Amino acid sequence: MPPPFKVELISHDPRWARDADRESQTFTAAAGHCVQIVHHIGSTAIPGIHAKHVLDLMPVVTSLRELDDRQREIEALG
């Protein structure tokens, strides 16, 4: 088991929604037409609550095979 690490919760930042939209567009461009939508999920998607400053995104795709074919492009995003 890895050692515990400190988690810092910060006040909600309304820019997180904009940042999630931008990252969703970047992901969709890299992943291709198999992406139907990318949902912003997790604590940063809930206005008014404290959260870790980590954007959680969940893509919905039509084909895992097509997504796998774009692995190199997706991994290049970092």
Side-chain angles (χ1 to χ4, degrees), residues 56-72:
D56 296 310
L57 304 175
M58 182 179 65
V60 177
V61 299
T62 57
S63 169
L64 291 177
R65 180 170 302 190
E66 289 180 38
L67 183 66
D68 287 345
D69 290 345
R70 302 301 294 260
Q71 180 176 348
R72 191 176 314 234

Side-chain angles (χ1 to χ4, degrees), residues 6-56:
K6 183 179 178 183
V7 173
E8 183 179 354
L9 299 178
I10 59 176
S11 296
H12 181 81
D13 187 335
R15 294 175 293 184
W16 288 339
R18 181 201 64 214
D19 295 345
D21 286 340
R22 186 184 67 245
E23 293 298 327
S24 295
Q25 291 172 15
T26 301
F27 177 83
T28 299
H33 67 276
C34 70
V35 177
Q36 290 188 319
I37 191 169
V38 179
H39 295 285
H40 178 199
I41 63 170
S43 57
T44 60
I46 305 170
I49 70 167
H50 287 74
K52 297 179 297 195
H53 188 189
V54 176
L55 296 176
D56 296 310

